[in-house]
Amino acid sequence: MSDSSRDTARGAGWGATDRGSYGRLMPDGMKKVSWLDPRTLWAARNGVLASWFGDPTGRTRSRWVAQRAAAGAPADRVIRRTDPDRFSFLVIGDTGEGDDPQYAVVPGLLTVGQDTRFAVLASDVVYPVGAADDYDAKFFRPYRDYRAPIYAIPGNHDWYEDLGAFMRVFCDDAPPLPAEPAPRPPSRAWLRGLLWHRPRRLDGQRLDEARRLRGEPSQQAVQPGPYWAIDAGPIRVIGIDTGLLGTLDAEQGAWLREVARGPRPKILVTGSPLYVDGAHHPCAIEGGGTVDEIVRDPEHRFVAAIGGDIHNYQRYPVRLADGRTLQYVVSGGGGAFTHATHTIPRVAVGGVTEADFRCYPLRGDSLAFYSRLYGRRLRLRRFFTLSEAEATAVIAERLGIPPTRGPGAGVRITRRVRLVATLLGTARRPDRGARLRLPVRKIYTSVFSPGSATYSPPFFKSFLRLDVSPESIRLRCHAATGNLAQELDPPVEDEVVIPLGSPPH
């Protein structure tokens, strides 16, 4: 097994000269997504409009679900597979930017996942707005050689065109919803509709051709809607759709409460992680209650909750009052730009401490990565660029924790290193520097999030493999850096064995 980033700097991808072979998989002339392009931001405006003028996704989702039910989808929205008691599957989050970081994940994913029974895409299948013609380069082409079915839950970006393309691809070529009468002016709904982004008139003409890239019988999967459950071997995997604003409508909430019942151990897959960046986000359900209340109920037998949306890997083993431990996982590192981990404060949430918490990339690698990126972008490389050793050391100093990977002898934390760490939003211990830390982090994450067009390896991408047996589930986070060494033997960045136990009496 190859070194991981927790072992050596080379295991993290630093200092490598041999780039991976993923470039041969990529289409020629693919336009890269830039989140600093005003045109991209304007096209992706529906989330802002929903927060200002009311969120229509609950109504739209209900119409999609009713359409699928009328077409013969099972009323309980459960996919009943015939997997054996021992099997494996993959989870990949926030994949679809269609450029180097997404394709860099593919060779290692094919190696690690060659014997898996299916895969689940957890949130944001296609950026920036879920357009049908983008599915060629951002879904069908990268995963053409994965021979098993792929199921998916939508993220907010898939909702930016009212989920039409997602439903066509994953839900048996669902036809468009019939138009509804326009709201009367003046009203918030009328103003929202006036500004709402909609699909281009001829979007999707190339979709039938793109489907041929994943045309083998073994690759086909039909799901009953944007949210679903899969009975596979001894477990049930439940995928929920949190729409544009990270919440559940009342209809989906009632379904979740019903499908969560029963003795099977369960894993939740969601587009809005319940624990992330050192904070708890229980996910509200319209009409009352939260998703996390359902997950924690011992009668429901959830053992893990995996969320996309945030583009890195995090794990929070939360010990509940009844003695059970629930694994709350963030898995959004499947292809989109890497969200920083060096902005995560020293962890103390839900009884989880820094000693229990895991993330990838490591905070020091995240800070070193961003220092290089902004050194290039601002043409201030000599000032901004930190070595991975300097970044590791300053993270340990600011958070008051031992370095995950030793920075080595002779590393000096200079005033420049500390200033760069501050400018790039590096977290501090909760009892130190809070007044400075919060505004800087907000500006950093809001204004300076990069587009993948600026990337070069190591990319710090990741995906999950879950090995299921009647006794336990082994969850492993594998890295993809874009370098050949990690492509040939994807390192295991984190691993946990989750006991399934026996149902409560």
Side-chain angles (χ1 to χ4, degrees):
M1 183 179 294
S2 61
D3 282 350
S4 74
S5 69
R6 303 179 74 86
D7 300 316
T8 64
R10 186 164 291 275
W14 299 117
T17 56
D18 294 330
R19 185 172 288 208
S21 63
Y22 64 87
R24 61 182 172 78
L25 306 174
M26 299 177 65
D28 294 331
M30 182 65 196
K31 183 179 179 181
K32 297 184 177 183
V33 175
S34 172
W35 295 106
L36 300 179
D37 186 334
R39 293 169 297 182
T40 302
L41 297 176
W42 176 243
R45 63 189 178 270
N46 285 0
V48 175
L49 295 176
S51 66
W52 287 354
F53 302 116
D55 184 1
T57 55
R59 166 67 181 161
T60 305
R61 183 186 297 114
S62 182
R63 296 178 68 210
W64 280 121
V65 168
Q67 183 208 73
R68 291 295 82 212
D76 60 4
R77 300 175 202 107
V78 177
I79 302 162
R80 292 173 172 85
R81 295 178 49 85
T82 57
D83 301 298
D85 282 349
R86 299 178 186 275
F87 74 98
S88 303
F89 69 102
L90 300 174
V91 176
I92 323 157
D94 298 85
T95 53
E97 285 198 354
D99 47 18
D100 291 61
Q102 179 179 6
Y103 279 85
V105 175
V106 173
L109 181 147
L110 294 177
T111 298
V112 171
Q114 60 184 333
D115 62 339
T116 53
R117 304 279 295 196
F118 61 89
V120 175
L121 299 188
S123 179
D124 291 341
V125 180
V126 166
Y127 293 95
V129 294
D133 281 338
D134 284 344
Y135 270 82
D136 182 334
K138 299 176 182 181
F139 173 70
F140 289 107
R141 188 171 299 276
Y143 309 121
R144 64 189 300 179
D145 293 325
Y146 180 68
R147 300 302 178 189
I150 298 177
Y151 305 95
I153 56 166
N156 57 313
H157 288 270
D158 301 306
W159 268 102
Y160 287 160
E161 292 193 347
D162 294 329
L163 213 63
F166 180 97
M167 296 297 292
R168 287 185 63 183
V169 170
F170 294 103
C171 300
D172 202 22
D173 206 15
L177 293 173
E180 290 192 303
R184 291 185 177 183
S187 66
R188 296 172 70 209
W190 170 80
L191 186 55
R192 181 187 64 213
L194 194 66
L195 298 172
W196 200 252
H197 171 82
R198 292 178 174 85
R200 290 175 287 115
R201 186 171 60 86
L202 299 179
D203 186 46
Q205 291 188 323
R206 300 193 299 271
L207 195 54
D208 287 341
E209 181 180 353
R211 289 181 196 274
R212 299 192 187 107
L213 295 170
R214 282 187 50 83
E216 295 184 8
S218 66
Q219 296 175 311
Q220 304 314 301
V222 175
Q223 59 190 59
Y227 58 92
W228 41 258
I230 298 173
D231 284 349
I235 68 168
R236 172 169 284 185
V237 182
I238 299 176
I240 61 173
D241 170 17
T242 56
L244 284 172
L245 301 182
T247 60
L248 260 61
D249 61 278
E251 180 181 318
Q252 185 180 181
W255 169 85
L256 177 59
R257 291 184 176 97
E258 184 62 32
V259 83
R261 300 180 187 213
R264 280 177 181 263
K266 298 173 184 71
I267 297 173
L268 182 77
V269 181
T270 170
S272 298
L274 303 180
Y275 280 83
V276 62
D277 293 346
H280 182 210
H281 301 274
C283 188
I285 300 174
E286 180 188 22
T290 69
V291 170
D292 201 28
E293 288 173 355
I294 298 172
V295 168
R296 289 169 178 252
D297 188 329
E299 296 295 326
H300 295 157
R301 297 202 67 201
F302 280 91
V303 296
I306 302 171
D309 189 52
I310 301 302
H311 307 164
N312 53 45
Y313 172 81
Q314 301 173 43
R315 181 169 63 84
Y316 301 81
V318 176
R319 188 168 179 83
L320 304 182
D322 61 10
R324 293 177 299 134
T325 297
L326 274 172
Q327 300 292 339
Y328 291 89
V329 176
V330 178
S331 181
F337 71 85
T338 296
H339 278 133
T341 58
H342 65 267
T343 58
I344 301 173
R346 181 168 170 166
V347 171
V349 61
V352 179
T353 67
E354 194 64 39
D356 309 311
F357 171 69
R358 295 291 183 272
C359 70
Y360 177 79
L362 299 178
R363 291 184 180 98
D365 289 330
S366 170
L367 178 58
F369 169 84
Y370 271 85
S371 75
R372 285 162 168 75
L373 186 146
Y374 286 106
R376 291 195 303 269
R377 175 175 294 168
L378 301 177
R379 299 183 180 180
L380 294 170
R381 296 191 187 203
R382 291 186 64 184
F383 171 73
F384 264 102
T385 301
L386 304 181
S387 70
E388 57 82 19
E390 289 172 326
T392 297
V394 75
I395 288 287
E397 177 188 78
R398 289 175 73 101
L399 292 182
I401 59 175
T404 306
R405 183 180 68 235
V411 177
R412 292 181 59 240
I413 306 176
T414 63
R415 292 174 64 184
R416 179 189 70 86
V417 170
R418 292 188 178 100
L419 178 57
V420 169
T422 297
L423 291 173
L424 294 181
T426 304
R428 288 181 179 268
R429 285 163 44 183
D431 58 337
R432 297 175 64 184
R435 290 184 180 178
L436 175 64
R437 176 175 59 86
L438 292 176
V440 169
R441 285 186 67 205
K442 183 175 181 181
I443 292 170
Y444 167 78
T445 54
S446 300
V447 178
F448 293 138
S449 291
S452 296
T454 61
Y455 275 16
S456 60
F459 296 134
F460 297 110
K461 300 287 92 188
S462 59
F463 61 93
L464 306 183
R465 175 180 168 122
L466 292 90
D467 301 313
V468 179
S469 75
E471 300 80 29
S472 65
I473 298 171
R474 181 176 66 169
L475 182 152
R476 288 180 292 174
C477 171
H478 288 271
T481 66
N483 293 324
L484 184 62
Q486 287 83 33
E487 181 177 287
L488 296 174
D489 187 9
V492 176
E493 291 292 335
D494 186 34
E495 178 173 345
V496 61
V497 176
I498 306 169
L500 297 186
S502 56
H505 299 293

